[in-house]
Amino acid sequence: MEPQPRKRSKTSQEPPKFAEFMKGMSKAQYDAEVDYDAVDDGGWEQMKENIQQNARGDAQQREAQQYPKEDEYSDEEGQNDTDEEMEDDDSNSSEDSESDEDVDPVVKIEIDKLNHTFKDFAKQYRLINKIGEGTFSTVYKAEDLLFDQYENEWRRMLPGEEEEDRKASSMTHRRRPRYVAIKKIYVTSSPQRILNELELLHKLTGLPNVVPLITAFRHMDQVVAVLPYCKHTDFREYFRQMSISDIREYMRSLLIALKSVHEMNIIHRDIKPTNFLYDPEKRQGVLCDFGLAETEVLGGNCPCNIPDDQFPYQIQMTLSNGYMKNDNRQPRRANRAGTRGFRAPEVLFKCPNQTTKIDIWSVGVILLTILTKRFPFFNSADDVDALLEIATIVGKSRMRACAVLHGCSFETNIPTIGERGFTWEKIVLWATGRTSGNRRTAASVLAPGEHEAVQFMEKLFDLDPMTRPTAGEALEMDFLNPDRETKEEADVVE
Ligand SMILES: Nc1ncnc2c1ncn2[C@@H]1O[C@H](COP(=O)(O)OP(=O)(O)OP(=O)(O)O)[C@@H](O)[C@H]1O
């Protein structure tokens, strides 16, 4: 059958009505008796029809672990403390030879259930296997059975996809299977969270190195998002072998994604290796999982928000030199959603004025992981421990200054936490077993490229979010532009 060149659907040009899409979901979503399809809201039936008709992609309407992740404002640590290996990320398997044979029987049951839940789903997608599991979702790989019948503009948004298309068109004989990732969002996620993720994904569709949303389905309390399948390799398989040039490409790819996301004033809040689907062979990555993302709201009531000239006075007003014996003040509340080990100090101090810079700190943690070859690097059980881990490196003095910035105080008598801490260089040498007592040997210094990487990382780890670089500024830094340096040197020589 000839592919049908379709025009964009009406809905694809209009802002998506995801609020309507989610209408009818309520706290009662767990009650199996509630039949949301029967809810006469006027908009949902229409929307559902639109979504299912256009689900197949009419281009844009094609609207559409290692660590535990924690919810906003949650104070419970370690929930869902899953540390599972991915069952099958297909990173090394031949894409053309997917069969059902090696699918776990439990996964088969899940797949059957999904096919049963969404009418005609099996006619559109052939679910293959589970490829990922997170705190809020299970992700399946599926073949897009009707791919050829639709315009698939989203492919142009993914790095390397156009090249794949060119290759495919030169090999005419066999129909190439096209894969998507089906993200089944757990019903225990709040409708607001699901709506937020879908809306943001839709808004960000088209940005470089960011996973686009193809479409989404809802049936009662079940929601699935359809995303392009992004071939990637488990971070743990390659991060120890990365050369400096590999690190550069990884960082560049991640920061390009973040630059465009941040320019839209969106904070990702969960930057970590499992949320950056990276293919080390192609040296391309795609940022995914916007489940905790939020729009940046500036102007929160925190001393870090006070102009410099008023700062010292305000701080004196805010802080005292002691601790109340029976402190019955309300605990400070701020969004602290994210994954432990990757949280910026301002999140740990519950700063109510968090910005996109919290993502830059997390990028620093990824770089530290790569340079030290240790995953996880930070492994605290709670926020206080996390602050102590950072303080062990940066020292008490800088940590105190950081606390003051957010209207808090920091003090500890743990003997291993010194006043001045250690340099990041020392930490990298120590973690990679290159320190030999107090004597500096050839092995106990960083290689040139490594040295630049550490200097770059130091900037990402600026304790003050105001002076920490933006993604755009980081992309301009020397470490990510080695050719520019060589060129400048050559110009000078000429
Ligand atoms: N588009 C995709 N292509 C390929 N694999 C994917 C895709 N999206 C997600 N995955 C896989 O599924 C895993 C879980 O997805 P995601 O991070 O979106 O879910 P989550 O429930 O929010 O997870 P977490 O709690 O770990 O952040 C990813 O780490 C990845 O391995």
Side-chain angles (χ1 to χ4, degrees):
M1 192 174 72
E2 278 288 299
Q4 298 165 19
R6 283 204 199 174
K7 285 191 182 133
R8 278 184 171 206
S9 67
K10 191 164 165 263
T11 41
S12 70
Q13 291 168 354
E14 288 173 353
K17 298 184 182 71
F18 279 123
E20 281 178 34
F21 173 66
M22 303 296 291
K23 221 169 180 174
M25 284 187 88
S26 69
K27 286 210 172 71
Q29 62 178 320
Y30 311 110
D31 183 351
E33 296 302 310
V34 179
D35 179 1
Y36 293 104
D37 286 344
V39 175
D40 183 20
D41 56 35
W44 167 242
E45 280 304 324
Q46 176 68 47
M47 188 59 198
K48 197 170 75 170
E49 221 175 276
N50 283 346
I51 287 168
Q52 299 210 333
Q53 268 173 14
N54 296 305
R56 302 304 319 139
D58 262 20
Q60 286 333 294
Q61 171 74 11
R62 297 218 125 194
E63 289 165 320
Q65 353 256 355
Q66 185 147 11
Y67 286 70
K69 187 155 66 176
E70 287 142 30
D71 206 347
E72 290 172 56
Y73 305 104
S74 155
D75 280 329
E76 282 177 45
E77 301 280 347
Q79 280 181 338
N80 301 308
D81 199 326
T82 50
D83 188 13
E84 292 171 30
E85 293 289 328
M86 278 201 300
E87 289 184 27
D88 173 16
D89 71 2
D90 288 311
S91 47
N92 300 318
S93 64
S94 153
E95 289 210 352
D96 290 359
S97 59
E98 299 288 355
S99 81
D100 295 337
E101 282 162 31
D102 46 4
V103 181
D104 186 299
V106 178
V107 176
K108 265 193 173 148
I109 295 171
E110 287 172 24
I111 288 178
D112 288 345
K113 223 169 136 192
L114 205 60
N115 282 328
H116 181 75
T117 306
F118 296 97
K119 197 169 160 262
D120 292 341
F121 198 74
K123 288 187 193 157
Q124 303 177 52
Y125 302 105
R126 180 176 70 87
L127 284 152
I128 297 166
N129 207 344
K130 188 193 277 190
I131 48 169
E133 197 163 28
T135 319
F136 302 116
S137 69
T138 300
V139 183
Y140 302 89
K141 183 174 181 178
E143 185 182 345
D144 187 349
L145 299 171
L146 304 181
F147 180 89
D148 295 337
Q149 296 183 19
Y150 299 92
E151 291 172 4
N152 296 286
E153 283 180 12
W154 51 267
R155 283 182 65 77
R156 269 180 241 140
M157 300 162 193
L158 288 172
E161 289 294 312
E162 279 183 309
E163 196 190 322
E164 291 282 323
D165 274 352
R166 263 196 301 278
K167 267 196 238 160
S169 59
S170 62
M171 303 186 304
T172 47
H173 315 302
R174 204 155 61 95
R175 188 190 159 273
R176 188 168 151 250
R178 306 294 190 147
Y179 296 108
V180 288
I182 308 279
K183 179 168 177 168
K184 186 181 129 208
I185 304 172
Y186 297 149
V187 293
T188 44
S189 277
S190 73
Q192 192 48 47
R193 175 197 292 281
I194 301 173
L195 172 61
N196 181 57
E197 179 169 4
L198 294 178
E199 267 184 334
L200 289 182
L201 272 173
H202 175 78
K203 195 170 165 187
L204 300 174
T205 291
L207 297 186
N209 300 2
V210 175
V211 73
L213 179 64
I214 299 175
T215 188
F217 297 86
R218 186 194 79 135
H219 174 73
M220 296 170 78
D221 57 356
Q222 308 281 321
V223 175
V224 293
V226 183
L227 310 158
Y229 171 74
C230 305
K231 192 167 168 281
H232 63 283
T233 303
D234 189 326
F235 181 72
R236 283 163 287 187
E237 281 177 30
Y238 61 82
F239 81 97
R240 286 193 181 87
Q241 287 88 47
M242 285 171 100
S243 67
I244 290 296
S245 140
D246 293 335
I247 299 173
R248 238 180 229 128
E249 286 312 313
Y250 183 101
M251 285 290 133
R252 203 177 279 144
S253 190
L254 176 56
L255 285 163
I256 285 173
L258 276 179
K259 179 174 183 274
S260 55
V261 171
H262 290 174
E263 278 169 359
M264 297 193 74
N265 297 326
I266 309 267
I267 313 177
H268 183 282
R269 287 207 80 95
D270 203 18
I271 296 297
K272 59 180 175 180
T274 43
N275 287 341
F276 186 56
L277 309 176
Y278 191 72
D279 181 344
E281 264 174 50
K282 288 192 185 153
R283 291 176 144 197
Q284 278 158 351
V286 179
L287 184 60
C288 72
D289 191 3
F290 287 79
L292 297 181
E294 61 170 2
T295 305
E296 184 181 55
V297 183
L298 297 175
N301 185 17
C302 183
C304 72
N305 214 6
I306 297 168
D308 276 355
D309 50 338
Q310 295 165 29
F311 190 77
Y313 169 71
Q314 290 283 351
I315 289 302
Q316 279 165 23
M317 299 290 286
T318 320
L319 298 176
S320 70
N321 286 329
Y323 307 94
M324 277 191 240
K325 209 167 179 188
N326 298 309
D327 191 349
N328 54 11
R329 290 173 300 173
Q330 285 285 317
R332 201 177 192 195
R333 278 173 70 81
N335 191 351
R336 46 183 289 290
T339 297
R340 67 184 166 96
F342 290 89
R343 288 200 183 98
E346 60 267 29
V347 180
L348 300 171
F349 282 123
K350 298 198 172 112
C351 166
N353 190 44
Q354 295 169 27
T355 66
T356 49
K357 300 288 184 70
I358 68 170
D359 291 340
I360 302 296
W361 177 278
S362 312
V363 174
V365 179
I366 299 181
L367 182 53
L368 179 64
T369 307
I370 298 172
L371 293 174
T372 57
K373 304 187 193 299
R374 287 184 187 229
F375 190 36
F377 187 88
F378 292 117
N379 200 17
S380 53
D382 57 35
D383 285 358
V384 173
D385 273 3
L387 284 169
L388 292 174
E389 282 183 330
I390 299 172
T392 307
I393 300 173
V394 303
K396 271 195 268 193
S397 160
R398 290 175 63 207
M399 210 59 190
R400 271 189 218 111
C402 176
V404 164
L405 210 52
H406 305 292
C408 302
S409 51
F410 178 87
E411 215 38 81
T412 175
N413 57 3
I414 295 176
T416 48
I417 302 181
E419 204 58 41
R420 287 177 41 217
F422 302 94
T423 61
W424 290 105
E425 176 181 346
K426 245 199 177 127
I427 296 296
V428 172
L429 288 171
W430 164 80
T432 46
R434 284 181 284 172
T435 41
S436 51
N438 287 330
R439 292 220 333 268
R440 263 177 114 77
T441 64
S444 69
V445 288
L446 296 171
E450 236 183 341
H451 183 70
E452 283 156 26
V454 170
Q455 281 184 326
F456 175 66
M457 180 177 75
E458 216 170 317
K459 304 228 168 69
L460 306 180
F461 278 142
D462 191 329
L463 291 171
D464 183 350
M466 293 290 273
T467 46
R468 194 179 303 150
T470 61
E473 285 163 354
L475 279 166
E476 288 303 313
M477 287 180 176
D478 290 348
F479 174 64
L480 297 186
N481 297 283
D483 298 343
R484 188 176 63 191
E485 258 182 76
T486 331
K487 193 174 169 300
E488 274 166 14
E489 274 166 29
D491 288 349
V492 170
V493 172
E494 277 166 24

